[in-house]
């Protein structure tokens, strides 16, 4: 097990794309002669794309879901279980993305339950945290991040066996899809705080990704910041060319 967190580039496709768009996207990747690198690539499509995506993306990228249920099965309309994902060769899932928190009432407690259920079943997790603009302006960034991370510290983090199984993503809500990017010191400050808080509960070197309007134009600088192991990318992951450009930047670092 390496003591340095793994470099990771993850695409969050949100509610974009249909199955028919996938072959062209991954063919571009296959034809681009990407040098072998230490960077792990992950793609998170909508549920109906997962099966085709897991096939098309392999072995270039691992396919993750955008969410998973806290239940194993039962009367939970609209949810997806870990077993259903694993059957499709899905390797992991996003949990607690700010759009889930903002529009679908996801709380720290429900996100924790989802993460625990995913890990128990053998799915990996990208767990998202981040403050809103109002919280940052009120000087509450540190308190918000600490609260969001606190639920992980009781049993989830101490119980982790492998650093690949749990990835943290810091995404300031005000920087997601807005074109606003947190500046270097804001990113470093948040990542340092997160790294310190994670280290209180686990000795594993966990990857901490930055997310929020990451683009080829700003990623070189961001990827060099301390405690930044990669990125969770929305808009710039939708076109194969820009996602490839991000991949090349992270591979070169
Ligand atoms: P963005 O989205 O790159 O479009 O800002 C990031 C995310 O929501 O994960």
């Amino acid at each position: 097990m390496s003591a340095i967190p793994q470099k990771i580039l993850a695409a969050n496709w949100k509610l974009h794309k249909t199955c028919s768009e996938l072959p062209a996207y991954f063919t571009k990747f296959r034809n681009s002669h990407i040098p072998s690198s230490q960077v792990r690539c992950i793609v998170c499509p909508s549920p109906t794309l997962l099966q085709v995506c897991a096939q098309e993306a392999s072995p270039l990228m691992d396919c993750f879901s955008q969410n998973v249920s806290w239940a194993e099965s039962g009367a939970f309309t609209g949810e997806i279980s870990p077993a259903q994902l694993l059957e499709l060769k899905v390797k992991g899932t996003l949990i607690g993305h700010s759009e889930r928190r903002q529009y679908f009432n996801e709380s720290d407690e429900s996100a924790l339950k989802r993460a625990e259920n995913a890990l128990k079943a053998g799915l990996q997790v990208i767990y998202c945290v981040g403050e809103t603009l109002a919280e940052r302006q009120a000087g509450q960034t540190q308190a918000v991040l600490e609260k969001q991370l606190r639920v992980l510290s009781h049993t989830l983090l101490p119980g982790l066996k492998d650093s690949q199984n749990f990835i943290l993503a810091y995404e300031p809500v005000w920087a997601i899809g807005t074109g606003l990017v947190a500046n270097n010191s804001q990113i470093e400050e948040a990542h340092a705080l997160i790294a310190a808080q994670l280290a209180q509960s686990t000795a594993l070197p966990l990857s901490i990704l930055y997310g929020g309007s990451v683009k080829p134009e700003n990623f070189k600088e961001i990827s060099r910041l301390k405690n930044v192991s990669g990125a969770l990318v929305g808009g710039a992951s939708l076109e194969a060319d820009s996602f490839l450009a991000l991949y090349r930047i992270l591979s070169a670092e």
Side-chain angles (χ1 to χ4, degrees):
M1 200 180 299
S2 147
I4 301 167
Q6 188 179 26
K7 288 189 192 180
I8 296 170
L9 187 64
N12 176 9
W13 283 353
K14 309 190 182 189
L15 194 54
H16 296 287
K17 294 198 187 289
T18 58
C19 284
S20 61
E21 296 172 67
L22 302 186
Y25 188 93
F26 291 109
T27 299
K28 273 209 170 162
F29 263 84
R30 250 176 231 109
N31 293 343
S32 67
H33 306 294
I34 305 172
S36 70
S37 89
Q38 298 301 310
V39 176
R40 181 181 185 199
C41 239
I42 294 171
V43 58
C44 313
S46 295
T48 57
L49 278 67
L50 284 168
Q51 184 164 22
V52 177
C53 193
Q55 288 161 4
E56 291 281 339
S58 173
L60 301 168
M61 303 184 198
D62 287 328
C63 187
F64 276 36
S65 173
Q66 294 176 8
N67 200 6
V68 73
S69 177
W70 57 75
E72 281 168 36
S73 64
F76 300 102
T77 303
E79 292 287 282
I80 309 177
S81 75
Q84 290 167 337
L85 294 176
L86 288 164
E87 195 177 42
L88 303 183
K89 310 262 182 286
V90 170
K91 291 258 167 49
T93 180
L94 291 175
I95 304 269
H97 188 278
S98 70
E99 286 149 17
R100 300 298 315 170
R101 293 177 188 263
Q102 218 176 335
Y103 306 126
F104 303 99
N105 294 325
E106 191 78 83
S107 65
D108 294 331
E109 290 68 30
S110 59
L112 172 68
K113 279 169 67 180
R114 292 182 197 278
E116 285 174 337
N117 200 34
L119 290 167
K120 190 172 82 181
L123 286 169
Q124 299 177 340
V125 168
I126 301 178
Y127 196 92
C128 305
V129 297
E131 80 288 358
T132 63
L133 185 58
E135 288 162 345
R136 177 162 282 275
Q137 287 173 340
Q140 293 168 350
T141 301
Q142 179 169 348
V144 168
L145 294 178
E146 282 172 358
K147 178 177 172 294
Q148 290 174 338
L149 294 170
R150 200 169 300 131
V151 292
L152 305 173
S153 65
H154 307 300
T155 54
L156 189 148
L157 290 171
L160 284 180
K161 303 263 181 301
D162 185 335
S163 58
Q164 294 237 356
N165 291 346
F166 197 78
I167 301 156
L168 216 289
Y170 168 60
E171 299 201 304
V173 180
W174 48 273
I176 295 178
T178 59
L180 296 173
V181 188
N183 67 37
N184 291 350
S185 57
Q186 289 170 326
I187 297 174
E188 278 196 329
E189 213 175 300
H191 279 242
L193 189 153
I194 292 167
Q197 194 153 336
L198 295 176
Q200 285 175 18
S201 308
T202 175
L204 294 174
L206 301 183
S207 303
I208 307 173
L209 314 182
Y210 170 76
S213 298
V214 167
K215 309 219 165 1
E217 301 81 59
N218 58 31
F219 189 45
K220 199 166 178 175
E221 241 184 276
I222 293 172
S223 66
R224 289 179 174 168
L225 298 175
K226 193 151 188 264
N227 294 311
V228 173
S229 309
L232 177 57
V233 188
S237 72
L238 295 175
E239 294 296 331
D241 287 336
S242 53
F243 198 55
L244 265 166
L246 295 172
Y247 181 84
R248 289 202 175 92
I249 290 169
L250 193 57
S251 303
E253 287 308 309

